[in-house]
Amino acid sequence: MSKGISFSPILIALILVSGLLVYLYLPNDTEQKKRESSATPVTAYTVVEQKFPVTVEALGTANANESVMLTAQKSDIVQRIEFDDGDLVKKGQLLLKLNDREERARLNELDINLQEAKRQLKRIDNLAQKSAASAQLLDEQEANVKAFKAQLEVAKAQLDELELRAPFSGLLGVRMVSVGALIMPGDLIATLDDLHIIKMDFTIAESHLASVNKGQKVSATSVAYPGQTFEGKISSIASRVDPVTRAIQIRATIDNKDLKLRPGMLLQINLQKEILDTLTIPEGALVPIEDQQFVFVIKDDKVVRQEVKVGLRKPGIAQITSGLQEGDKIVVEGALRLREGSAVKVLSMHTSQG
């Protein structure tokens, strides 16, 4: 006769308690895992008050500090050329010489006549002192000496007109003439630009006039030098506002010792008006709905859609004037998949606004 299996009361009680625990806690664990699996992964950002530079952007044109088109003053044959294309020259340096044989001969003739007139004047003066020559004759000879001196100065000036010298230090352009060529007054010989300082001319709206002053710093960039910024300062502000465009012309200067900037280049100019201490957020956090702007604020692993007022903007950053407080945690990436009350899981914190 086989014996039946018997369970002790204690064992039965343990089994009942274990089953009760499984019944009570298993659904909660399952529900928690379900909630975690349904949470939307997002990147968050903590709202802080930061310095926000307010800038005015404009397009400007680069101009040389001094610029001139070199031409001849007289019509003659090119005798000598003393420069090459793209030379850096000093003020007063000889660049070109025209045929001057006739002018030099005239100058020598006048110099000889002047020396002879001076000798005659000296002789007459000695005779006048001995009362052997009249005062009238002495006066006439003094007038002759002065006349020859004046003619000599004219001849020297005419000779100088046959030489072309640099009016200021700068960079020459392409040479447009050759030795032996006949050139006329006004014919272009070359261009000369002083590039050590570049003048930037640009316009801004009259609404910004109160915030610009002489000496104020500006920065400029060019597509020719990606990533490089050129610093300058305002040198002059026009005395009038254009009545048609309601804009005012500004001129700034940039130190250009390395000669990178050239006249005619298009420059992107940034003029800093002021620096605000304000709340800023990455532009990617904004969710536009019609004419309103919203952000998703994270509270207890869920999001609340909050309307905000946006002030000034610059690439990647927006100023918030109302709707948020410092320390609020908002969604930066993943907002398009959210709605009011959605559960979220923060995967990372956004640290840069640019």
Side-chain angles (χ1 to χ4, degrees):
M1 182 176 179
S2 62
K3 296 181 178 181
I5 300 174
S6 62
F7 297 96
S8 67
I10 295 175
L11 181 60
I12 294 173
L14 289 174
I15 293 173
L16 291 175
V17 169
S18 299
L20 180 61
L21 291 175
V22 169
Y23 174 78
L24 291 175
Y25 291 102
L26 183 60
N28 291 337
D29 291 343
T30 303
E31 185 65 25
Q32 177 69 20
K33 291 180 180 179
K34 183 178 179 181
R35 284 200 301 268
E36 289 181 356
S37 63
S38 63
T40 302
V42 296
T43 299
Y45 174 78
T46 301
V47 179
V48 293
E49 188 176 89
Q50 295 185 357
K51 293 189 179 300
F52 187 85
V54 181
T55 59
V56 178
E57 296 183 351
L59 291 176
T61 302
N63 295 300
N65 183 44
E66 301 290 348
S67 181
V68 68
M69 298 176 67
L70 299 174
T71 60
Q73 298 183 58
K74 285 193 172 183
S75 174
D76 218 317
I77 302 296
V78 177
Q79 180 177 316
R80 198 165 77 243
I81 295 176
E82 299 288 346
F83 71 94
D84 288 323
D85 299 345
D87 276 357
L88 281 170
V89 296
K90 298 292 185 181
K91 180 180 180 180
Q93 181 176 330
L94 179 63
L95 304 178
L96 179 140
K97 194 177 186 69
L98 298 179
N99 182 16
D100 60 357
R101 287 179 296 177
E102 181 179 346
E103 285 74 11
R104 286 195 177 278
R106 174 61 176 163
L107 187 66
N108 291 335
E109 178 186 6
L110 290 172
D111 186 55
I112 294 172
N113 291 338
L114 177 60
Q115 298 306 320
E116 178 61 26
K118 286 181 178 181
R119 284 193 296 269
Q120 291 293 336
L121 177 61
K122 185 177 181 181
R123 184 179 65 83
I124 294 172
D125 184 50
N126 291 334
L127 292 174
Q129 292 177 9
K130 299 176 182 179
S131 300
S134 65
Q136 181 180 356
L137 182 61
L138 180 61
D139 291 342
E140 289 177 354
Q141 191 58 33
E142 287 179 345
N144 287 336
V145 171
K146 291 180 180 178
F148 280 124
K149 284 183 177 180
Q151 292 177 37
L152 190 64
E153 290 301 318
V154 172
K156 287 181 178 179
Q158 292 174 343
L159 187 63
D160 289 342
E161 290 177 353
L162 297 175
E163 292 181 346
L164 178 62
R165 296 182 179 272
F168 51 82
S169 299
L171 182 68
L172 289 169
V174 178
R175 175 165 59 89
M176 306 300 292
V177 297
S178 300
V179 173
L182 172 64
I183 61 175
M184 307 291 289
D187 288 350
L188 177 62
I189 296 172
T191 57
L192 177 63
D193 296 296
D194 177 10
L195 303 181
H196 291 88
I197 293 177
I198 286 293
K199 296 175 180 176
M200 296 186 301
D201 292 328
F202 59 98
T203 58
I204 60 173
E206 65 175 335
S207 58
H208 301 304
L209 180 59
S211 60
V212 295
N213 298 284
K214 289 182 64 175
Q216 192 170 345
K217 292 184 179 180
V218 299
S219 61
T221 56
S222 169
V223 294
Y225 304 102
Q228 185 171 355
T229 300
F230 301 90
E231 301 294 336
K233 60 182 180 180
I234 294 177
S235 60
S236 64
I237 302 172
S239 60
R240 299 180 180 181
V241 174
D242 189 315
V244 177
T245 62
R246 302 301 177 188
I248 187 167
Q249 185 171 358
I250 307 293
R251 171 168 286 181
T253 56
I254 293 179
D255 190 354
N256 191 41
K257 291 182 179 179
D258 53 8
L259 305 183
K260 286 186 175 181
L261 298 178
R262 298 298 176 91
M265 293 179 70
L266 180 67
L267 300 176
Q268 176 70 45
I269 299 169
N270 289 301
L271 172 63
Q272 184 172 293
K273 292 178 56 177
E274 56 183 327
I275 299 179
L276 302 176
D277 289 319
T278 184
L279 296 179
T280 59
I281 64 172
E283 274 192 314
L286 296 172
V287 180
I289 299 177
E290 294 182 352
D291 58 347
Q292 296 174 301
Q293 296 286 347
F294 295 86
V295 297
F296 284 103
V297 181
I298 301 174
K299 295 182 179 179
D300 300 326
D301 295 330
K302 291 186 178 182
V303 293
V304 176
R305 195 176 72 180
Q306 176 67 46
E307 182 182 358
V308 295
K309 298 297 182 183
V310 180
L312 301 172
R313 298 192 189 212
K314 65 179 185 178
I317 304 175
Q319 177 198 20
I320 300 300
T321 58
S322 66
L324 291 176
Q325 296 181 352
E326 189 170 12
D328 285 347
K329 187 183 294 184
I330 62 173
V331 176
V332 176
E333 297 177 5
L336 296 179
R337 300 190 299 271
L338 301 177
R339 60 183 180 180
E340 180 74 21
S342 295
V344 294
K345 181 180 181 182
V346 178
L347 298 180
S348 62
M349 295 298 296
H350 195 79
T351 58
S352 172
Q353 295 186 47

Coordinates of all heavy atoms in Angstrom, one line a residue, residues 85-149:
D85 N 54.6 94.9 -63.5 CA 53.2 94.7 -63.0 C 53.2 94.3 -61.5 O 54.0 93.4 -61.1 CB 52.6 93.5 -63.8 CG 52.5 93.9 -65.3 OD1 52.6 95.1 -65.6 OD2 52.2 93.0 -66.1
G86 N 52.3 94.9 -60.7 CA 52.2 94.4 -59.3 C 53.3 94.9 -58.4 O 53.4 94.3 -57.3
D87 N 54.1 95.8 -58.8 CA 55.2 96.3 -57.9 C 54.6 97.1 -56.7 O 53.7 97.8 -56.9 CB 56.2 97.2 -58.7 CG 57.2 96.4 -59.4 OD1 57.2 95.1 -59.3 OD2 58.0 97.0 -60.1
L88 N 55.3 96.9 -55.6 CA 55.1 97.8 -54.4 C 56.0 99.0 -54.6 O 57.2 98.8 -54.7 CB 55.3 97.1 -53.1 CG 54.2 96.2 -52.6 CD1 54.6 95.4 -51.4 CD2 52.9 97.0 -52.2
V89 N 55.5 100.2 -54.6 CA 56.4 101.4 -54.8 C 56.2 102.4 -53.7 O 55.2 102.4 -53.0 CB 56.0 102.1 -56.2 CG1 56.3 101.1 -57.3 CG2 54.5 102.5 -56.2
K90 N 57.2 103.2 -53.6 CA 57.2 104.3 -52.6 C 56.8 105.6 -53.2 O 56.9 105.8 -54.4 CB 58.6 104.4 -52.0 CG 59.2 103.1 -51.3 CD 58.4 102.9 -50.0 CE 59.0 101.7 -49.2 NZ 58.2 101.4 -48.0
K91 N 56.3 106.5 -52.3 CA 55.9 107.8 -52.7 C 57.1 108.5 -53.4 O 58.2 108.5 -52.8 CB 55.4 108.6 -51.5 CG 55.0 110.0 -51.9 CD 54.5 110.8 -50.7 CE 54.0 112.2 -51.1 NZ 53.5 112.9 -49.9
G92 N 56.9 109.1 -54.5 CA 57.9 109.8 -55.3 C 58.8 109.0 -56.2 O 59.7 109.5 -56.9
Q93 N 58.6 107.7 -56.1 CA 59.5 106.8 -57.0 C 59.2 107.0 -58.4 O 58.0 107.1 -58.9 CB 59.2 105.3 -56.6 CG 60.0 104.3 -57.3 CD 59.8 102.9 -56.8 OE1 59.5 102.7 -55.7 NE2 59.9 101.9 -57.7
L94 N 60.2 107.1 -59.3 CA 60.1 107.3 -60.7 C 59.5 106.0 -61.3 O 60.0 104.9 -61.2 CB 61.4 107.6 -61.4 CG 61.4 107.8 -62.9 CD1 60.6 109.0 -63.3 CD2 62.8 108.0 -63.4
L95 N 58.4 106.2 -62.1 CA 57.7 105.0 -62.7 C 57.9 105.0 -64.2 O 58.1 103.9 -64.8 CB 56.2 105.1 -62.4 CG 55.9 105.1 -60.9 CD1 54.4 105.2 -60.8 CD2 56.4 103.9 -60.2
L96 N 57.9 106.2 -64.9 CA 58.0 106.2 -66.3 C 58.6 107.6 -66.8 O 58.3 108.6 -66.1 CB 56.6 106.1 -66.9 CG 56.4 106.1 -68.4 CD1 55.4 105.1 -68.9 CD2 55.9 107.5 -68.8
K97 N 59.3 107.5 -67.9 CA 59.9 108.8 -68.4 C 59.6 108.9 -69.9 O 59.8 107.9 -70.7 CB 61.4 108.7 -68.2 CG 62.1 110.0 -68.3 CD 63.6 109.9 -68.0 CE 64.3 111.2 -68.0 NZ 63.9 112.1 -66.9
L98 N 59.1 110.1 -70.3 CA 58.9 110.3 -71.7 C 60.1 111.0 -72.4 O 61.0 111.4 -71.7 CB 57.7 111.2 -71.9 CG 56.3 110.7 -71.4 CD1 55.3 111.7 -71.6 CD2 56.0 109.4 -72.0
N99 N 60.1 111.0 -73.7 CA 61.3 111.6 -74.4 C 61.4 113.1 -74.0 O 60.4 113.9 -74.2 CB 61.0 111.5 -75.9 CG 62.1 112.1 -76.7 OD1 63.2 112.3 -76.2 ND2 61.9 112.3 -78.0
D100 N 62.5 113.5 -73.5 CA 62.7 114.8 -73.0 C 63.9 115.6 -73.5 O 64.4 116.5 -73.0 CB 62.9 114.8 -71.4 CG 64.1 114.0 -71.0 OD1 64.8 113.4 -71.9 OD2 64.3 113.9 -69.8
R101 N 64.4 115.2 -74.7 CA 65.6 115.8 -75.3 C 65.3 117.3 -75.6 O 66.2 118.1 -75.3 CB 66.0 115.1 -76.6 CG 66.6 113.7 -76.3 CD 67.0 113.0 -77.6 NE 65.8 112.7 -78.4 CZ 65.9 112.1 -79.6 NH1 67.0 111.8 -80.2 NH2 64.7 111.9 -80.2
E102 N 64.2 117.6 -76.2 CA 63.9 119.0 -76.5 C 63.8 119.8 -75.2 O 64.4 121.0 -75.2 CB 62.6 119.1 -77.3 CG 62.2 120.5 -77.7 CD 61.0 120.5 -78.5 OE1 60.5 119.5 -78.9 OE2 60.4 121.7 -78.6
E103 N 63.2 119.4 -74.2 CA 63.0 120.1 -73.0 C 64.3 120.3 -72.2 O 64.6 121.4 -71.7 CB 62.0 119.4 -72.0 CG 60.5 119.5 -72.5 CD 60.2 118.7 -73.7 OE1 61.0 117.8 -74.1 OE2 59.1 118.9 -74.3
R104 N 65.2 119.3 -72.3 CA 66.5 119.4 -71.6 C 67.4 120.4 -72.4 O 68.1 121.2 -71.7 CB 67.2 118.1 -71.6 CG 66.6 117.1 -70.5 CD 67.5 116.0 -70.2 NE 66.9 115.2 -69.1 CZ 67.0 115.5 -67.8 NH1 67.7 116.6 -67.4 NH2 66.5 114.7 -66.9
A105 N 67.3 120.4 -73.7 CA 68.1 121.4 -74.5 C 67.6 122.8 -74.1 O 68.4 123.8 -74.0 CB 67.9 121.1 -75.9
R106 N 66.3 123.0 -74.0 CA 65.7 124.3 -73.7 C 66.2 124.7 -72.3 O 66.5 125.9 -72.0 CB 64.2 124.2 -73.7 CG 63.4 125.5 -73.3 CD 63.8 126.7 -74.1 NE 63.0 127.8 -73.7 CZ 63.3 129.1 -74.0 NH1 64.3 129.4 -74.7 NH2 62.5 130.1 -73.6
L107 N 66.2 123.7 -71.4 CA 66.6 124.0 -70.0 C 68.1 124.5 -69.9 O 68.4 125.4 -69.2 CB 66.4 122.8 -69.1 CG 66.6 123.0 -67.6 CD1 65.6 123.9 -67.0 CD2 66.5 121.6 -66.9
N108 N 68.9 123.8 -70.7 CA 70.4 124.2 -70.8 C 70.5 125.6 -71.3 O 71.4 126.3 -70.9 CB 71.1 123.1 -71.6 CG 71.2 121.8 -70.9 OD1 71.1 121.7 -69.6 ND2 71.4 120.7 -71.7
E109 N 69.7 125.9 -72.4 CA 69.8 127.2 -73.0 C 69.5 128.3 -72.0 O 70.2 129.3 -71.9 CB 68.9 127.2 -74.2 CG 68.9 128.6 -74.9 CD 67.9 128.7 -76.0 OE1 67.1 127.7 -76.2 OE2 67.8 129.7 -76.7
L110 N 68.4 128.1 -71.3 CA 68.0 129.1 -70.3 C 69.0 129.2 -69.2 O 69.2 130.3 -68.7 CB 66.6 128.7 -69.8 CG 65.4 128.9 -70.8 CD1 64.1 128.3 -70.2 CD2 65.2 130.3 -71.1
D111 N 69.6 128.1 -68.8 CA 70.5 128.2 -67.7 C 71.8 129.0 -68.1 O 72.3 129.8 -67.3 CB 70.9 126.8 -67.3 CG 71.9 126.7 -66.1 OD1 71.5 127.3 -65.1 OD2 73.0 126.2 -66.2
I112 N 72.2 128.8 -69.4 CA 73.3 129.6 -69.9 C 73.0 131.1 -70.0 O 73.7 131.9 -69.6 CB 73.8 129.1 -71.3 CG1 74.3 127.6 -71.2 CG2 74.8 130.0 -71.9 CD1 74.6 127.0 -72.5
N113 N 71.8 131.4 -70.5 CA 71.3 132.8 -70.5 C 71.2 133.4 -69.2 O 71.6 134.6 -69.0 CB 70.0 132.9 -71.2 CG 70.1 132.5 -72.7 OD1 71.1 132.6 -73.3 ND2 68.9 132.1 -73.3
L114 N 70.8 132.6 -68.2 CA 70.7 133.2 -66.8 C 72.1 133.5 -66.3 O 72.3 134.5 -65.6 CB 70.0 132.2 -65.9 CG 69.8 132.5 -64.5 CD1 69.1 133.9 -64.3 CD2 69.1 131.4 -63.7
Q115 N 73.0 132.6 -66.5 CA 74.4 132.8 -66.0 C 75.0 134.1 -66.6 O 75.6 134.9 -65.9 CB 75.2 131.6 -66.2 CG 74.8 130.3 -65.5 CD 74.6 130.5 -64.0 OE1 75.4 131.2 -63.3 NE2 73.5 129.9 -63.5
E116 N 74.7 134.2 -67.9 CA 75.3 135.4 -68.6 C 74.6 136.7 -68.1 O 75.2 137.7 -67.9 CB 75.0 135.3 -70.1 CG 75.5 136.5 -70.9 CD 77.0 136.8 -70.8 OE1 77.8 135.8 -70.5 OE2 77.4 137.9 -71.0
A117 N 73.3 136.6 -67.8 CA 72.6 137.8 -67.3 C 73.1 138.2 -65.9 O 73.2 139.4 -65.6 CB 71.1 137.5 -67.3
K118 N 73.4 137.2 -65.1 CA 73.9 137.5 -63.8 C 75.3 138.1 -63.9 O 75.6 139.1 -63.1 CB 74.0 136.2 -63.0 CG 72.7 135.6 -62.5 CD 72.9 134.4 -61.7 CE 71.6 133.8 -61.2 NZ 71.7 132.6 -60.4
R119 N 76.1 137.7 -64.8 CA 77.4 138.3 -65.0 C 77.3 139.8 -65.4 O 78.0 140.7 -65.0 CB 78.3 137.5 -66.0 CG 78.8 136.2 -65.4 CD 79.9 135.7 -66.3 NE 79.4 135.3 -67.6 CZ 78.9 134.1 -67.9 NH1 78.9 133.1 -67.0 NH2 78.5 133.8 -69.1
Q120 N 76.4 140.0 -66.4 CA 76.1 141.4 -66.8 C 75.6 142.3 -65.7 O 76.0 143.4 -65.6 CB 75.1 141.4 -68.0 CG 75.6 140.8 -69.3 CD 76.8 141.6 -69.9 OE1 76.9 142.8 -69.7 NE2 77.6 141.0 -70.7
L121 N 74.7 141.7 -64.9 CA 74.2 142.4 -63.7 C 75.3 142.8 -62.8 O 75.4 144.0 -62.3 CB 73.1 141.6 -63.0 CG 72.5 142.2 -61.8 CD1 71.8 143.5 -62.1 CD2 71.6 141.2 -61.1
K122 N 76.2 141.9 -62.5 CA 77.3 142.2 -61.6 C 78.2 143.3 -62.2 O 78.6 144.2 -61.4 CB 78.1 140.9 -61.4 CG 79.2 141.1 -60.3 CD 79.9 139.7 -60.1 CE 81.0 139.9 -59.0 NZ 81.7 138.6 -58.8
R123 N 78.5 143.2 -63.5 CA 79.3 144.3 -64.1 C 78.6 145.6 -64.1 O 79.3 146.6 -63.7 CB 79.6 143.9 -65.6 CG 80.6 144.8 -66.3 CD 80.8 144.3 -67.7 NE 79.6 144.4 -68.5 CZ 79.2 145.5 -69.1 NH1 79.9 146.6 -69.0 NH2 78.1 145.5 -69.8
I124 N 77.4 145.7 -64.4 CA 76.6 147.0 -64.4 C 76.6 147.5 -62.9 O 76.6 148.7 -62.7 CB 75.2 146.8 -65.0 CG1 75.4 146.5 -66.5 CG2 74.4 148.1 -64.8 CD1 74.1 146.1 -67.1
D125 N 76.4 146.6 -62.0 CA 76.3 147.1 -60.6 C 77.6 147.7 -60.1 O 77.6 148.7 -59.4 CB 76.0 145.9 -59.7 CG 75.8 146.3 -58.2 OD1 75.0 147.2 -58.0 OD2 76.4 145.6 -57.4
N126 N 78.7 147.1 -60.6 CA 80.1 147.7 -60.2 C 80.2 149.1 -60.9 O 80.7 150.0 -60.3 CB 81.2 146.8 -60.7 CG 81.2 145.5 -59.8 OD1 80.8 145.5 -58.7 ND2 81.8 144.4 -60.4
L127 N 79.8 149.2 -62.1 CA 79.9 150.5 -62.8 C 78.9 151.5 -62.2 O 79.3 152.7 -62.1 CB 79.5 150.3 -64.3 CG 80.5 149.5 -65.2 CD1 79.9 149.3 -66.6 CD2 81.8 150.2 -65.2
A128 N 77.7 151.1 -61.7 CA 76.8 152.0 -61.1 C 77.4 152.6 -59.8 O 77.1 153.7 -59.5 CB 75.5 151.3 -60.9
Q129 N 78.1 151.7 -59.1 CA 78.7 152.2 -57.8 C 79.8 153.3 -58.1 O 80.1 154.1 -57.2 CB 79.4 151.0 -57.1 CG 78.3 150.0 -56.6 CD 79.0 148.8 -55.9 OE1 80.2 148.8 -55.6 NE2 78.1 147.9 -55.5
K130 N 80.4 153.3 -59.3 CA 81.4 154.3 -59.7 C 80.8 155.4 -60.6 O 81.5 156.2 -61.2 CB 82.5 153.6 -60.5 CG 83.2 152.5 -59.7 CD 84.3 151.9 -60.6 CE 85.0 150.7 -59.9 NZ 86.0 150.1 -60.7
S131 N 79.4 155.4 -60.6 CA 78.6 156.4 -61.4 C 79.0 156.3 -62.9 O 78.8 157.3 -63.6 CB 78.9 157.8 -60.9 OG 78.6 157.9 -59.5
A132 N 79.4 155.1 -63.3 CA 79.7 154.9 -64.8 C 78.5 154.3 -65.5 O 78.6 154.1 -66.7 CB 80.9 154.1 -64.9
A133 N 77.5 153.9 -64.8 CA 76.3 153.3 -65.4 C 75.1 153.9 -64.7 O 75.1 154.2 -63.5 CB 76.3 151.8 -65.3
S134 N 74.0 154.1 -65.5 CA 72.8 154.7 -64.9 C 72.0 153.7 -64.0 O 72.1 152.5 -64.2 CB 71.9 155.2 -66.0 OG 71.4 154.1 -66.8
A135 N 71.2 154.2 -63.2 CA 70.3 153.3 -62.3 C 69.3 152.6 -63.2 O 68.9 151.5 -62.9 CB 69.6 154.2 -61.3
Q136 N 68.9 153.3 -64.3 CA 67.9 152.7 -65.2 C 68.4 151.4 -65.8 O 67.8 150.4 -65.9 CB 67.4 153.7 -66.2 CG 66.4 153.1 -67.2 CD 66.0 154.1 -68.3 OE1 66.4 155.2 -68.2 NE2 65.1 153.6 -69.2
L137 N 69.7 151.5 -66.2 CA 70.3 150.3 -66.9 C 70.5 149.2 -65.9 O 70.3 148.0 -66.2 CB 71.7 150.7 -67.4 CG 72.5 149.6 -68.1 CD1 71.7 149.1 -69.4 CD2 73.9 150.1 -68.5
L138 N 70.7 149.5 -64.6 CA 70.9 148.5 -63.6 C 69.5 147.8 -63.3 O 69.4 146.6 -63.2 CB 71.4 149.1 -62.3 CG 71.5 148.2 -61.1 CD1 72.5 147.1 -61.4 CD2 71.9 149.0 -59.8
D139 N 68.4 148.6 -63.3 CA 67.1 148.1 -63.1 C 66.7 147.2 -64.2 O 66.1 146.1 -64.0 CB 66.1 149.2 -62.9 CG 66.3 150.0 -61.7 OD1 66.9 149.4 -60.7 OD2 65.8 151.1 -61.6
E140 N 67.0 147.5 -65.5 CA 66.7 146.7 -66.6 C 67.4 145.4 -66.6 O 66.8 144.3 -66.9 CB 67.0 147.5 -67.9 CG 66.1 148.6 -68.2 CD 66.6 149.4 -69.4 OE1 67.6 149.1 -70.0 OE2 65.8 150.3 -69.8
Q141 N 68.6 145.4 -66.1 CA 69.4 144.1 -66.1 C 68.9 143.2 -65.0 O 68.8 142.0 -65.1 CB 70.9 144.4 -65.9 CG 71.8 143.2 -66.1 CD 71.6 142.5 -67.5 OE1 71.4 143.2 -68.5 NE2 71.7 141.2 -67.5
E142 N 68.5 143.8 -63.8 CA 67.9 143.0 -62.8 C 66.6 142.4 -63.2 O 66.3 141.2 -62.9 CB 67.6 143.9 -61.6 CG 68.9 144.3 -60.8 CD 68.6 145.2 -59.6 OE1 67.5 145.8 -59.6 OE2 69.5 145.4 -58.8
A143 N 65.8 143.1 -64.0 CA 64.6 142.5 -64.6 C 64.9 141.4 -65.5 O 64.1 140.4 -65.6 CB 63.8 143.6 -65.3
N144 N 66.0 141.5 -66.3 CA 66.3 140.4 -67.2 C 66.7 139.1 -66.4 O 66.3 138.0 -66.8 CB 67.5 140.8 -68.1 CG 67.1 141.9 -69.1 OD1 65.9 141.9 -69.5 ND2 68.1 142.6 -69.6
V145 N 67.4 139.3 -65.4 CA 67.8 138.2 -64.5 C 66.6 137.5 -64.0 O 66.4 136.2 -64.0 CB 68.7 138.6 -63.4 CG1 69.0 137.4 -62.4 CG2 70.1 139.0 -64.0
K146 N 65.6 138.3 -63.5 CA 64.4 137.7 -62.9 C 63.6 137.0 -64.0 O 63.0 135.9 -63.7 CB 63.5 138.8 -62.3 CG 64.1 139.4 -61.0 CD 63.3 140.5 -60.4 CE 63.9 141.1 -59.1 NZ 63.0 142.1 -58.6
A147 N 63.6 137.5 -65.2 CA 62.8 136.9 -66.3 C 63.4 135.6 -66.7 O 62.7 134.6 -66.9 CB 62.8 137.8 -67.5
F148 N 64.8 135.5 -66.7 CA 65.4 134.2 -67.1 C 65.2 133.2 -66.0 O 65.0 132.0 -66.2 CB 66.9 134.4 -67.3 CG 67.2 135.0 -68.6 CD1 68.0 136.1 -68.8 CD2 66.8 134.3 -69.8 CE1 68.3 136.6 -70.0 CE2 67.1 134.8 -71.1 CZ 67.9 136.0 -71.2
K149 N 65.1 133.6 -64.7 CA 64.9 132.7 -63.6 C 63.5 132.1 -63.7 O 63.2 130.9 -63.5 CB 65.0 133.4 -62.3 CG 66.5 133.7 -61.8 CD 66.5 134.3 -60.5 CE 67.9 134.5 -60.0 NZ 68.0 135.2 -58.6

